[in-house]
């Protein structure tokens, strides 16, 4: 008697994508769904990243589910940008309100996923040795879910406490009276540094790459804006799909930065700086992400801002980014970041000039031999982004395909939704989709809706399996590359390029052609009977999507 548990669909991950997949597959298709989640709660990114100051960089009225108008109206966000506890509370509310937990098995990490071409079934094996089977497997494994600590020599020698921002202790950390180091100045470092500085006796920040950081201009929710937004929610959600980043409310730019006078430019940048937010700033001109010369005008403006906020001009110069065009690494939104360096007990180390050589029993040693002593080290060192979580699962087929092997030179996908050779395995916001370059919840919803429509079509047509053709996948992957190559994005050594992981292929992974173009392409493909995909017919029509065993 086999202990394998059978379902119609398996979903890996109970973040926003996985939860919405569960909801739709269950409510629209009536499937028997099982979600497998490594954590002991829902929320994905918002479950794991509990570091102090963790906050979304998309405004809370936008960063929410759109599928239920009542949910939209009943939830009220306290601030312009949701912080991690509020977003996690919201995701938990969604799980309860739609009775999702009954189909989620927590504390269950999937190690293997194998597709059998004879039976058209996926078999998923967990760390604890359980086995689950279904014709459909949806990987809702997240883009920033594999935290990464650099392989510093002496990592285990350090006798103080260590933390990674992406694996923060649930009970929180009190740094009061401690000598603290933060390594990394991406979003996680920049958001946590001002708060850790309030607690620590000293705080030393190790910066390898200075980032472009704009004010969030966070504050309490303006209730008039909220009421207006809620009254217009349907139109605003539809409008969001018609934008590059999936975020409505920002008039698209009409002018080149080079077509206006320096005074006009500075006035525009000042206005955007005061408004806060990254989209608004990038929307100042049409060519900030296309022309290095245009981009240089924005860079200069931000450099001058840094010099005006940070009192010590040596520190200010170290904080001025100078190795990539602005916006080609994820822009960071801050609250009081630059001001933090005016505090006497906060120090900045230029880890580009003088890299970290390793950890010692007492702290950190730099390449020039300088040693620092700490009680605690915070690794804000990022993630094996976009492909990391899928590579952690050994994804194979019985006819000898291995996803890790197929993706050795970089991810190959059709629309970031599927990969050729792996039938019925769908990815939510996978590489090759706008995912990380968009409002993530909107992109998760768009992907899940496409997948659910596709499965519905297959059931009606008596199809058991779908996968992209090698040719369509190749064309899409080349298109993703061509679109990126026409922008400034590939100029930065970013996690979009895999550049933060030694040995990872340098391939620009997100689709930056815009949500509106991407969604139109997905719809066109579906309308043409899933052009670029092939189907395997079910042996008996009633067994479509229920396995052919
Ligand atoms: P990021 O943005 O990948 O930032 C990681 C930071 O850690 C970045 O400043 C890195 O410098 C730094 N880092 C990594 N390795 C080292 C070593 N060996 N020495 C010194 N510094 C190092 O991750 P986050 O968690 O901040 O943000 C991820 C995303 O979450 C963010 O983009 C938002 O979308 C939300 P580097 O730039 O590689 O030189």
């Amino acid at each position: 008697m086999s202990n394998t548990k059978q379902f119609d669909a398996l979903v890996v991950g109970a973040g926003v994508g996985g939860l919405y997949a569960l909801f739709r597959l269950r409510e629209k298709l009536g499937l028997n769904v099982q979600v497998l989640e490594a954590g002991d709660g829902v929320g994905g990114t918002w479950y794991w990243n509990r570091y102090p100051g963790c906050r979304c960089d998309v405004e809370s009225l936008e960063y929410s589910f759109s599928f239920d108008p009542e949910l939209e109206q009943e939830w009220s966000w306290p601030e312009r940008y949701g912080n991690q506890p509020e977003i996690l509370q919201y995701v938990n509310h969604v799980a309860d309100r739609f009775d999702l937990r009954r189909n989620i098995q927590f504390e269950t990490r999937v190690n293997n996923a194998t597709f059998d071409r004879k039976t058209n079934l996926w078999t998923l094996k967990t760390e604890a040795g359980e086995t689950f089977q279904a014709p459909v497997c949806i990987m809702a494994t997240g883009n920033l879910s594999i935290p990464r600590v650099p392989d510093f020599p002496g990592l285990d020698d350090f006798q103080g406490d260590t933390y990674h921002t992406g694996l923060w202790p649930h009970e929180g950390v009190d740094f009061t009276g401690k000598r603290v180091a933060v390594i990394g100045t991406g979003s996680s470092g920049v958001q946590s540094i001002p708060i850790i500085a309030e607690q620590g006796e000293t705080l030393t920040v190790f910066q390898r790459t200075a980032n472009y950081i704009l004010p969030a201009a966070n504050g309490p929710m303006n209730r008039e804006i909220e009421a207006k937004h809620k009254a217009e929610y349907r139109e605003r959600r539809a409008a969001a799909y018609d934008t590059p980043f999936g975020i409505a409310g920002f008039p698209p730019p009409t002018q080149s930065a080079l077509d206006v006078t320096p005074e006009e430019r500075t006035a525009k940048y000042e206005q955007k700086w005061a408004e806060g937010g990254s989209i608004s700033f990038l929307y100042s001109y049409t060519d900030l992400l296309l022309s290095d010369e245009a981009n240089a005008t924005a860079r200069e403006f931000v450099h001058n801002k840094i010099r005006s906020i940070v009192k010590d001009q040596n520190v200010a110069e170290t904080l001025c980014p100078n190795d990539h065009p602005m916006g080609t690494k994820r822009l960071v939104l801050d609250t009081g970041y630059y001001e933090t360096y005016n505090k006497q007990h906060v120090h900045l180390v230029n880890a580009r000039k003088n890299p970290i050589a390793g950890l010692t029993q007492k702290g950190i040693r730099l390449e020039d031999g300088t040693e620092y002593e700490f009680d605690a080290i915070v690794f804000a060192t990022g993630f094996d982004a976009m492909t990391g979580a899928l590579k952690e699962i050994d994804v194979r087929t019985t006819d000898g395909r291995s996803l890790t092997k197929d993706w050795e030179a970089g991810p190959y996908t059709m629309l970031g939704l599927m990969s050729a050779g792996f039938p019925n395995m769908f990815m939510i916001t996978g590489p090759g989709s706008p995912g990380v370059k968009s409002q993530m919840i909107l992109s998760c919803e768009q992907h899940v809706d496409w997948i659910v429509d596709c499965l519905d079509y297959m059931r009606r047509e008596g199809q058991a399996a779908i996968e992209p053709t090698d040719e369509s996948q190749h064309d899409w992957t080349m298109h993703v590359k061509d679109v990126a190559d026409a922008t400034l994005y590939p100029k930065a050594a970013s996690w979009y390029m895999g550049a933060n992981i030694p040995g990872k292929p340098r391939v620009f992974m997100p689709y930056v052609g815009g949500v509106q173009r991407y969604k139109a392409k997905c719809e066109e493909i579906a309308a043409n009977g899933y052009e670029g995909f092939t189907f395997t017919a079910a042996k008996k029509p009633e067994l479509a999507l229920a396995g052919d065993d």
Side-chain angles (χ1 to χ4, degrees), residues 300-355:
E300 190 192 353
F301 174 82
V302 176
H303 289 174
N304 287 335
K305 279 289 178 197
I306 297 169
R307 290 176 190 127
S308 73
I309 300 169
V310 179
K311 292 191 180 124
D312 181 328
Q313 288 305 296
N314 287 328
V315 176
E317 285 315 309
T318 307
L319 289 167
C320 284
N322 59 14
D323 73 342
H324 62 283
M326 181 172 169
T328 54
K329 282 189 153 200
R330 178 104 174 180
L331 287 174
V332 177
L333 298 188
D334 83 307
T335 301
Y337 177 69
Y338 290 123
E339 290 83 349
T340 301
Y341 292 96
N342 293 332
K343 296 185 172 174
Q344 288 298 312
H345 70 296
V346 178
H347 313 286
L348 180 66
V349 173
N350 186 338
R352 166 81 60 207
K353 241 187 186 166
N354 193 2

Side-chain angles (χ1 to χ4, degrees), residues 59 67 117 127 339 357 417 431 451 476 547:
E59 293 187 45
F67 68 87
R117 283 214 177 251
E127 201 171 55
E339 290 83 349
L417 273 161
I451 294 165
W476 180 255

Side-chain angles (χ1 to χ4, degrees), residues 385-407:
M386 305 193 67
T387 53
L390 276 169
K391 275 193 280 163
E392 291 266 299
I393 300 172
D394 187 12
V395 180
R396 291 176 183 275
T397 63
T398 49
D399 57 352
R401 299 284 286 251
S402 144
L403 193 74
T404 307
K405 197 154 191 313
D406 281 13
W407 287 14

Side-chain angles (χ1 to χ4, degrees), residues 215-489:
N218 188 37
M221 176 63 73
N222 175 324
R223 295 298 163 199
E224 270 173 41
I225 292 178
E226 182 190 29
K228 186 165 182 309
H229 202 113
K230 284 187 169 180
E232 297 168 352
Y233 243 140
R234 297 278 51 77
E235 298 83 347
R236 289 192 69 117
R237 299 292 197 187
Y241 276 120
D242 205 20
T243 65
F245 301 109
I247 299 174
F250 299 101
T254 53
Q255 270 182 312
S256 157
L258 306 174
D259 283 348
V260 298
T261 65
E263 293 73 24
E264 277 176 79
R265 259 195 322 255
T266 306
K268 169 73 73 71
Y269 292 147
E270 281 291 357
Q271 177 213 328
K272 302 285 190 173
W273 182 271
E275 264 172 35
S278 53
I279 306 280
S280 162
F281 200 98
L282 287 174
Y283 268 25
S284 299
Y285 296 105
T286 52
D287 46 1
L288 290 187
L289 290 171
L290 302 176
S291 148
D292 200 36
E293 202 185 342
N295 191 281
T297 66
R299 301 204 285 268
E300 190 192 353
F301 174 82
V302 176
H303 289 174
N304 287 335
K305 279 289 178 197
I306 297 169
R307 290 176 190 127
S308 73
I309 300 169
V310 179
K311 292 191 180 124
D312 181 328
Q313 288 305 296
N314 287 328
V315 176
E317 285 315 309
T318 307
L319 289 167
C320 284
N322 59 14
D323 73 342
H324 62 283
M326 181 172 169
T328 54
K329 282 189 153 200
R330 178 104 174 180
L331 287 174
V332 177
L333 298 188
D334 83 307
T335 301
Y337 177 69
Y338 290 123
E339 290 83 349
T340 301
Y341 292 96
N342 293 332
K343 296 185 172 174
Q344 288 298 312
H345 70 296
V346 178
H347 313 286
L348 180 66
V349 173
N350 186 338
R352 166 81 60 207
K353 241 187 186 166
N354 193 2
I356 295 172
L359 268 58
T360 64
Q361 280 191 0
K362 292 188 170 170
I364 292 174
R365 191 181 62 252
L366 301 182
E367 276 190 1
D368 74 350
T370 312
E371 292 201 16
Y372 295 84
E373 291 188 5
F374 298 111
D375 302 307
I377 298 176
V378 174
F379 294 102
T381 45
F383 301 86
D384 186 352
M386 305 193 67
T387 53
L390 276 169
K391 275 193 280 163
E392 291 266 299
I393 300 172
D394 187 12
V395 180
R396 291 176 183 275
T397 63
T398 49
D399 57 352
R401 299 284 286 251
S402 144
L403 193 74
T404 307
K405 197 154 191 313
D406 281 13
W407 287 14
E408 247 168 17
Y412 268 97
T413 75
M414 177 59 174
L415 302 169
L417 273 161
M418 298 195 85
S419 196
F422 301 88
N424 290 3
M425 186 188 86
F426 298 91
M427 294 167 275
I428 299 183
T429 68
S433 79
V436 294
K437 291 303 301 168
S438 71
Q439 200 274 79
M440 278 302 270
I441 301 186
L442 167 137
S443 280
C444 288
E445 287 185 323
Q446 189 251 330
H447 265 190
V448 169
D449 290 344
W450 190 94
I451 294 165
V452 168
D453 287 347
C454 173
L455 295 177
D456 193 26
Y457 173 89
M458 286 169 65
R459 199 154 62 172
R460 281 186 276 113
E461 298 288 320
Q463 305 291 1
I466 180 172
E467 64 182 299
T469 63
D470 282 317
E471 190 190 3
S472 65
Q473 170 166 282
H474 175 81
D475 290 350
W476 180 255
T477 306
M478 289 304 109
H479 175 62
V480 170
K481 180 182 179 327
D482 290 346
V483 170
D485 284 346
T487 71
L488 298 174
Y489 281 110

